Amino acid sequence: MMDVGRHPRVELMTFSEVETVSGFVGNFHVTVRKKARYVDPTECTSCEECSKVCPVAVPDEYQQGFSSRKAIYIPFPQAVPSAFILDMDNCLGNNPIACGKCSDVCEKKCIDYDDQDELVNIEVGVIIAATGMDVYDPTEYDEYGYTRFDNVITSMEFERLICAGGPTGGNFMRPSDQERPKRIGFIQCVGSRSRDGRGNPYCSNICCMNTVKDTLLLCDHYPDTESSVFYMDIRAFGKGFEDMYMRSKEEGVKYIRGIPGEVVEDPKTGNLILTVENTTTGKLEQHELEMLVLSQGVIPRKDNDTIKKLLTLSSTSDGFIMESHPKLKPVDAPTKGIFIAGCVESPKDVKESVTQASAAAARASILLNAGKTKVEAITSQVNAELCNFCGICATVCPYNAILAPDRKAKKPPTIIQAACAGCGACAAECATDAITMRHFTDDQILAQIDAILSHKPHEHLITFACNWCSYAGGDNAGTSRLQYPTTSRLIRTMCSGRVDEKFVIRAFKMGAPMVLVSGCHFADCHYISAVHWTQKRMDRIWTKMEKLGIRPERLQLEWISAAEGQKFAKVMRDLEETVKQVTMEEIEHSMKVMAEEEIRMAEKKAKARPKPVAEVAV
Amino acid sequence: MAAKEFTFRCLKCGHEYQGMYDAKNVTERSCPKCRSNSIRRLPAGKAAKK
């Protein structure tokens, strides 16, 4: 941090928040709110005279509330810049009757009570999101007694208590009586790997080794301490981690396989009685401990949703930001020019975070050094003559790559080619067909449908498969030699969001007994949220089918990932059976009504388009 | 716009169930019975088949 702060080519904006981000790769416009510090950091020498006279004391967030800080303070010892900051929420103010003492003693006169937030506009070529994570609050695990019993603490609190720079100056003591605990327990996976509705289902990755490290610290500093670790599995998978784990065991730390069911406090001694089933011996055990440490998991930052909106990112079901590709582009965000590093992407330790940050910096520098970028070959384009300026395209675009049209000025939408990823959701939603794709055009897809259904149409299942997941899932089924019926015909689209209503109508018009639309699971969507539009559109088509007297069951939807070859084959086998249940009468009916619907839709689209100038004049 | 309760019908097994739907926060649907994703949100007012 110090090095970054000193670097001549790095502008560090601390105590600041990103307000808006617009633009695209190479041309991002970012507005940053530099919050008022009320102390001039360029003048402040950190002499501490101000904090000595400050009469306000509030819990110190950095010390986990174990000690207090003043209203004018340095957030933590290594803070950059090393300057004081005034917490205006707790400051008594500059009224001489109320206070103003810090201003009086400041020789450099660097305290300004009237300081204001400042909005700074910057132009950047690439953005790296490294906003970190939060820690899980274990209060909901009531059986462990956190916040009920003084001597039950979290692993973060333990860090502060054992740290030389902590609230006790490194004198390890328990909160209830300030005595040094000699029997300490650690409970692993608090808020992680949970399937009971509390906490999170994922592994937080760092807690096992953090506990192993803590036990070794205790062995080193206080050899007479007995440590017991209650765990499900110890995941010591990194370089040197297994050795560290074994060393902890050799030092005498007890590892007991079992998660405690109950913790009660002895009110006389403040000691904790912990009941656990040791799954290795199959016996119920009780342990009396003087301190209990809950190894709390890692959770996404609470403002991750804001970050997602600002940078047009998507997240996994866990809430962490999703990478462009887990294997091939692990530090690239789906939006071009944006990279991710650290725990914003998933829980990880320092080494992994540094590795990812280095990779992100390298990826970013490739773009910056080149000074130019290759645009996707498959992008959308607007036919201005057909546009009715409704603006749905701009709403649909997951990348904010479409500048909304201006109805009054009769200005059609503008597609930022550098930002367009080519999902085709805009083309599928456009009511007037004013948006078309370069490659995977409507004509090409319709021609495929016509060709497939030109011979024995009633035997064929038409499947629209997205390029990244479902189509790859089909490949997976093939390479895994999984059997599925030969009657299914796949039509590849870049995204299931590209599947236009007219493709489905054409398939039924041509005599398809069934149509399947398949795409990525929501958490895997290669195009951020384009898959959401698939589901919305399917609801609309199902309603239309019902109105036209066609069973909605003849149009199916499945989310199949690239790894789900088995699911792909099973879906195909199941649908083959359903295809057999579709009668010839049904097919003939749908061919007739969909032919009429196709004409009706074409007329509706023609009506929705703006009239040519010459026609208006007539 | 807050999430509203709707009836969802699985187009594979016919199972119907109640669930929340928020147009601004669309979530992946999966049949609690057969795990199919062909889940149709029935238009409001359309009573579930009993």
Side-chain angles (χ1 to χ4, degrees):
Chain A
M1 194 75 161
M2 294 283 202
D3 287 346
V4 172
R6 288 195 202 106
H7 199 285
R9 294 183 63 197
V10 178
E11 185 188 353
L12 195 59
M13 298 171 89
T14 58
F15 203 49
S16 304
E17 266 183 22
V18 175
E19 290 259 305
T20 60
V21 178
S22 59
F24 50 91
V25 55
N27 296 280
F28 288 113
H29 315 292
V30 183
T31 308
V32 181
R33 178 178 293 276
K34 286 179 91 171
K35 293 184 188 172
R37 298 176 67 97
Y38 305 99
V39 179
D40 184 351
T42 58
E43 292 293 322
C44 177
T45 57
S46 312
C47 66
E48 295 188 28
E49 292 302 319
C50 52
S51 71
K52 282 178 190 164
V53 295
C54 178
V56 178
V58 290
D60 188 343
E61 299 86 353
Y62 178 64
Q63 302 290 10
Q64 301 287 310
F66 281 125
S67 64
S68 62
R69 62 164 172 84
K70 298 298 180 69
I72 189 159
Y73 68 110
I74 289 184
F76 54 96
Q78 298 82 20
V80 176
S82 180
F84 274 74
I85 190 168
L86 188 54
D87 170 10
M88 210 33 114
D89 291 339
N90 289 300
C91 176
L92 298 178
N94 63 340
N95 186 331
I97 299 168
C99 190
K101 290 177 181 169
C102 54
S103 182
D104 293 344
V105 296
C106 181
E107 285 183 10
K108 302 279 282 184
K109 297 294 172 203
C110 52
I111 298 173
D112 175 10
Y113 293 106
D114 299 321
D115 196 7
Q116 297 284 322
D117 288 0
E118 185 189 354
L119 288 178
V120 182
N121 292 310
I122 48 176
E123 309 287 318
V124 295
V126 295
I127 296 173
I128 298 176
T131 47
M133 46 74 174
D134 283 335
V135 286
Y136 174 73
D137 176 3
T139 313
E140 67 177 333
Y141 280 83
D142 193 51
E143 64 268 34
Y144 297 154
Y146 180 65
T147 67
R148 282 193 292 128
F149 308 139
D150 288 343
N151 296 325
V152 178
I153 61 170
T154 64
S155 44
M156 283 293 281
E157 290 166 348
F158 178 88
E159 286 297 328
R160 297 319 309 150
L161 285 178
I162 204 160
C163 178
T168 56
N171 292 315
F172 185 52
M173 57 180 70
R174 64 181 195 166
S176 69
D177 51 13
Q178 286 77 52
E179 293 291 324
R180 183 163 70 78
K182 292 188 177 166
R183 288 192 304 277
I184 302 174
F186 292 83
I187 302 181
Q188 295 306 108
C189 299
V190 178
S192 306
R193 302 180 66 197
S194 164
R195 301 275 169 188
D196 65 1
R198 298 179 297 176
N200 297 293
Y202 55 84
C203 169
S204 288
N205 200 330
I206 56 172
C207 329
C208 286
M209 293 319 295
N210 184 53
T211 295
V212 172
K213 183 261 297 176
D214 287 344
T215 57
L216 283 171
L217 265 181
L218 285 170
C219 293
D220 185 47
H221 293 0
Y222 311 103
D224 58 339
T225 306
E226 285 177 26
S227 300
S228 307
V229 180
F230 303 92
Y231 71 100
M232 287 192 237
D233 308 291
I234 292 292
R235 297 187 166 181
F237 52 84
K239 188 178 178 183
F241 288 2
E242 184 67 15
D243 286 348
M244 204 168 153
Y245 172 43
M246 295 314 290
R247 192 150 56 88
S248 168
K249 276 184 154 178
E250 284 161 13
E251 294 279 355
V253 177
K254 288 183 204 158
Y255 283 84
I256 298 155
R257 193 171 184 279
I259 295 296
E262 187 187 42
V263 177
V264 292
E265 187 189 49
D266 179 348
K268 286 181 191 164
T269 59
N271 287 354
L272 303 153
I273 317 295
L274 179 147
T275 310
V276 60
E277 185 198 350
N278 186 332
T279 56
T280 310
T281 60
K283 287 181 181 164
L284 206 62
E285 296 177 2
Q286 281 205 330
H287 296 260
E288 185 172 346
L289 304 165
E290 292 174 20
M291 181 186 261
L292 182 62
V293 182
L294 305 181
S295 200
Q296 62 196 137
V298 168
I299 55 171
R301 273 182 67 93
K302 59 180 180 293
D303 55 3
N304 256 14
D305 281 342
T306 312
I307 294 161
K308 268 165 55 185
K309 279 180 194 156
L310 279 173
L311 303 177
T312 57
L313 304 176
S314 56
S315 62
T316 58
S317 53
D318 298 333
F320 291 99
I321 300 296
M322 194 162 74
E323 66 280 52
S324 185
H325 191 286
K327 291 173 190 162
L328 304 176
K329 289 185 173 179
V331 297
D332 292 41
T335 306
K336 275 179 276 186
I338 296 179
F339 303 92
I340 47 178
C343 289
V344 70
E345 185 254 338
S346 67
K348 55 176 68 71
D349 64 9
V350 176
K351 182 189 164 187
E352 264 188 273
S353 296
V354 170
T355 308
Q356 205 175 24
S358 305
R363 296 281 296 163
S365 67
I366 290 170
L367 273 177
L368 292 175
N369 287 334
K372 57 186 177 183
T373 182
K374 282 182 185 170
V375 172
E376 292 283 343
I378 306 160
T379 55
S380 55
Q381 53 192 347
V382 184
N383 182 344
E385 288 178 9
L386 301 181
C387 178
N388 69 350
F389 317 106
C390 69
I392 184 76
C393 49
T395 311
V396 169
C397 182
Y399 296 89
N400 293 336
I402 303 180
L403 302 178
D406 186 340
R407 190 184 289 271
K408 280 184 187 167
K410 300 236 181 274
K411 186 176 172 243
T414 308
I415 295 174
I416 304 164
Q417 295 294 321
C420 177
C423 64
C426 52
E429 284 294 320
C430 181
T432 59
D433 285 346
I435 294 197
T436 53
M437 301 303 295
R438 292 187 174 89
H439 307 289
F440 293 92
T441 63
D442 285 4
D443 289 344
Q444 287 172 338
I445 294 170
L446 290 170
Q448 286 183 69
I449 298 169
D450 291 347
I452 291 167
L453 298 171
S454 60
H455 180 63
K456 292 187 179 176
H458 57 281
E459 288 181 4
H460 291 127
L461 164 68
I462 294 283
T463 300
F464 294 100
C466 92
N467 177 62
W468 305 98
C469 286
S470 300
Y471 199 81
D475 268 350
N476 187 316
T479 51
S480 307
R481 307 281 173 91
L482 298 170
Q483 298 289 311
Y484 62 88
T486 53
T487 49
S488 57
R489 293 286 184 274
L490 262 66
I491 296 175
R492 184 165 65 104
T493 55
M494 289 309 286
C495 175
S496 61
R498 171 73 182 98
V499 181
D500 198 314
E501 186 180 341
K502 66 173 169 254
F503 301 159
V504 177
I505 289 174
R506 174 65 69 89
F508 284 123
K509 178 199 154 187
M510 293 296 293
M514 286 201 68
V515 174
L516 168 68
V517 176
S518 65
C520 309
H521 288 281
F522 277 33
D524 302 336
C525 181
H526 189 80
Y527 299 105
I528 306 175
S529 60
V531 72
H532 296 190
W533 292 93
T534 312
Q535 189 162 270
K536 287 182 181 178
R537 198 174 308 128
M538 292 293 281
D539 273 332
R540 285 205 308 267
I541 303 174
W542 280 322
T543 304
K544 178 177 269 187
M545 287 172 71
E546 196 171 53
K547 279 184 186 162
L548 294 172
I550 302 169
R551 279 192 298 129
E553 287 80 0
R554 289 177 60 194
L555 173 62
Q556 294 277 316
L557 175 69
E558 288 295 339
W559 310 125
I560 302 169
S561 81
E564 291 180 319
Q566 286 193 330
K567 181 176 180 183
F568 183 90
K570 183 179 182 303
V571 165
M572 292 300 163
R573 285 196 299 270
D574 290 351
L575 287 181
E576 172 73 359
E577 291 305 309
T578 323
V579 165
K580 287 176 188 167
Q581 293 163 14
V582 181
T583 62
M584 280 310 291
E585 288 75 25
E586 277 188 286
I587 294 172
E588 280 163 15
H589 170 73
S590 54
M591 286 172 77
K592 182 173 167 283
V593 294
M594 285 305 196
E596 291 164 4
E597 181 61 18
E598 200 175 55
I599 296 167
R600 200 186 65 77
M601 272 184 69
E603 287 171 354
K604 193 178 164 190
K605 278 181 184 177
K607 240 184 215 177
R609 288 170 188 153
K611 302 265 183 299
V613 180
E615 201 177 316
V616 173
V618 170
Chain B
M1 193 169 63
K4 285 184 182 171
E5 192 174 53
F6 279 90
T7 303
F8 293 88
R9 181 186 296 160
C10 173
L11 297 181
K12 191 179 173 203
C13 71
H15 177 62
E16 287 191 4
Y17 63 96
Q18 301 291 313
M20 301 305 287
Y21 175 76
D22 180 353
K24 285 191 174 171
N25 186 20
V26 185
T27 52
E28 188 172 317
R29 300 176 198 158
S30 177
C31 176
K33 223 171 166 184
C34 72
R35 314 308 302 166
S36 167
N37 303 122
S38 296
I39 307 296
R40 183 185 173 203
R41 177 173 61 90
L42 295 179
K46 194 138 186 162
K49 276 183 188 171
K50 292 282 174 192

